[in-house]
């Protein structure tokens, strides 16, 4: 059987963030260094996954969070002249889980549901596989099919950033349509650090834009022979997984 390349939304996005980081991670397969924001998000996600799978009750979430926080979030948060980010993120999690009441779901259909689906390439070359893990799929109290994503961001900076993140849920909609016979009615980001929903009504034009972005990004990756850094002082110093290894030079395939 012919091997098919696998991509995820985060893998595709990393190419646009910095193609040199992409080279280190997915071509050279170097082991990276996590950052505090990613550790925090993954930790809270893991608790919410266990809640969704009935492994933790709502009243147990806070205790588990407080007991395990410093074991799971081991990296330092970046310095900030206005606030102690470690304390801020910790306190935001306490506030969220102290008041957690679940989601507006009449029926939960999937929790951290993994999918792999073949996608035709934009230029007629070999197909590829798109994969992902969907935090929650459910029918809400209004009867709508919802794709739900937990987000550790407090808010989107602007509509352009929201649209960029929404591509992820539109890509997940490929699987939802195949699995449940219809596109989701609603894409929902729950910004858990301030306990607010950002709801996006499914739009077929934005769905096709996301599919096109995915296909074109795969084409760019396949055609790329020189992987260059895209310097961003804050990202390079505090967020990039390859921050301890990257020398900023161009890598070639």
């Amino acid at each position: 059987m012919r091997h098919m390349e696998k991509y995820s939304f985060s893998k595709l996005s990393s190419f646009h963030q910095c193609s040199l980081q992409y080279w280190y991670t997915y071509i050279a397969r170097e082991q990276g260094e996590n950052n505090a924001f990613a550790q925090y998000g993954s930790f809270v996600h893991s608790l919410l996954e266990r809640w969704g799978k009935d492994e933790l009750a709502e009243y147990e979430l806070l205790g588990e969070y407080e007991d395990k926080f410093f074991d799971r979030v081991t990296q330092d948060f970046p310095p900030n002249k206005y606030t102690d980010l470690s304390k801020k993120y910790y306190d935001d999690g306490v506030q969220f889980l102290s008041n957690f009441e679940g989601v507006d779901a009449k029926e939960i259909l999937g929790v951290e549901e993994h999918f792999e689906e073949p996608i035709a390439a934009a230029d007629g070359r070999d197909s590829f596989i798109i994969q992902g893990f969907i935090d929650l799929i459910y029918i809400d109290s209004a009867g709508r099919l919802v794709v739900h994503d937990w987000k550790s961001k407090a808010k989107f900076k602007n509509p352009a950033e929201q649209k960029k993140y929404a591509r992820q849920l539109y890509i997940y909609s490929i699987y939802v349509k195949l699995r449940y016979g219809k596109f989701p009615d609603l894409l929902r980001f729950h910004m858990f650090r301030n306990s607010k929903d950002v709801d996006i009504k499914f739009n077929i034009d934005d769905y096709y834009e996301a599919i096109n972005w995915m296909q074109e990004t795969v084409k760019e990756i396949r055609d790329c022979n020189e992987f260059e850094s895209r310097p961003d002082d804050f990202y390079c110093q505090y967020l990039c997984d390859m921050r301890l290894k990257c020398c900023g030079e161009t890598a070639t395939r």
Side-chain angles (χ1 to χ4, degrees):
M1 180 180 293
R2 178 173 56 83
H3 172 75
M4 295 176 70
E5 301 161 5
K6 288 185 181 182
Y7 296 92
S8 64
F9 176 78
S10 60
K11 182 176 179 178
L12 297 174
S13 296
S14 73
F15 179 77
H16 290 294
Q17 176 69 50
C18 176
S19 65
L20 184 57
Q21 177 196 5
Y22 181 96
W23 181 85
Y24 273 112
T25 304
Y26 299 108
I27 297 177
R29 299 191 180 280
E30 295 278 357
Q31 184 66 40
E33 184 80 10
N34 218 333
N35 67 72
F37 298 108
Q39 289 182 327
Y40 175 84
S42 295
F43 174 46
V44 179
H45 268 83
S46 71
L47 297 178
L48 294 169
E49 178 185 353
R50 291 169 65 190
W51 163 80
K53 293 179 175 178
D54 292 326
E55 296 170 3
L56 279 177
E58 291 170 9
Y59 67 86
E60 295 177 298
L61 288 169
L62 178 60
E64 192 75 1
Y65 175 83
E66 293 175 326
D67 288 346
K68 302 290 192 341
F69 182 87
F70 293 103
D71 292 330
R72 295 291 301 274
V73 184
T74 58
Q75 294 287 333
D76 292 331
F77 282 88
N80 185 295
K81 63 181 180 181
Y82 301 108
T83 187
D84 178 343
L85 289 179
S86 179
K87 183 177 187 306
K88 170 64 174 167
Y89 272 68
Y90 178 83
D91 290 347
D92 285 348
V94 169
Q95 177 70 17
F96 168 58
L97 296 173
S98 295
N99 299 285
F100 184 73
E101 296 180 346
V103 297
D104 175 27
K106 184 166 61 176
E107 179 185 2
I108 292 181
L109 303 174
V111 179
E112 200 66 18
E113 191 151 331
H114 178 241
F115 71 90
E116 296 185 0
E117 295 295 342
I119 304 293
D123 55 2
R125 286 190 282 184
D126 288 347
S127 298
F128 59 91
I129 288 174
I130 189 69
Q131 65 174 340
F133 290 87
I134 307 175
D135 290 347
L136 282 176
I137 307 170
Y138 55 85
I139 306 296
D140 71 3
S141 60
R144 297 174 299 186
L145 180 59
V146 180
V147 172
H148 180 116
D149 192 71
W150 303 109
K151 272 283 174 281
S152 57
K153 292 175 68 68
K155 62 180 181 179
F156 294 119
K157 293 182 293 188
N158 50 47
E161 185 182 52
Q162 178 176 307
K163 182 174 182 178
K164 181 179 74 172
Y165 276 89
R167 284 188 182 128
Q168 180 177 16
L169 303 193
Y170 276 114
I171 288 171
Y172 289 174
S173 300
I174 298 169
Y175 167 77
V176 173
K177 176 67 162 60
L178 291 169
R179 177 70 175 82
Y180 300 103
K182 60 174 286 187
F183 286 119
D185 300 298
L186 195 68
L187 310 178
R188 170 170 288 159
F189 291 105
H190 186 84
M191 322 299 269
F192 57 74
R193 284 183 46 231
N194 62 12
S195 298
K196 289 187 178 180
D197 290 329
V198 175
D199 287 348
I200 302 169
K201 185 177 179 181
F202 184 89
N203 180 287
I204 194 67
D205 291 334
D206 289 339
Y207 168 79
Y208 284 121
E209 188 278 334
I211 302 305
N212 182 68
W213 173 85
M214 173 179 61
Q215 293 172 316
E216 289 300 321
T217 300
V218 170
K219 182 179 184 300
E220 287 183 54
I221 292 169
R222 287 173 168 179
D223 290 342
C224 185
N225 291 312
E226 293 189 348
F227 297 81
E228 300 177 343
S229 65
R230 299 189 178 103
D232 175 304
D233 287 345
F234 184 82
Y235 183 86
C236 291
Q237 187 171 356
Y238 297 111
L239 302 183
C240 180
D241 287 354
M242 298 298 157
R243 61 191 180 276
L244 302 182
K245 296 184 177 182
C246 180
C247 57
E249 297 177 356
T250 299
T252 58
R253 195 188 292 271

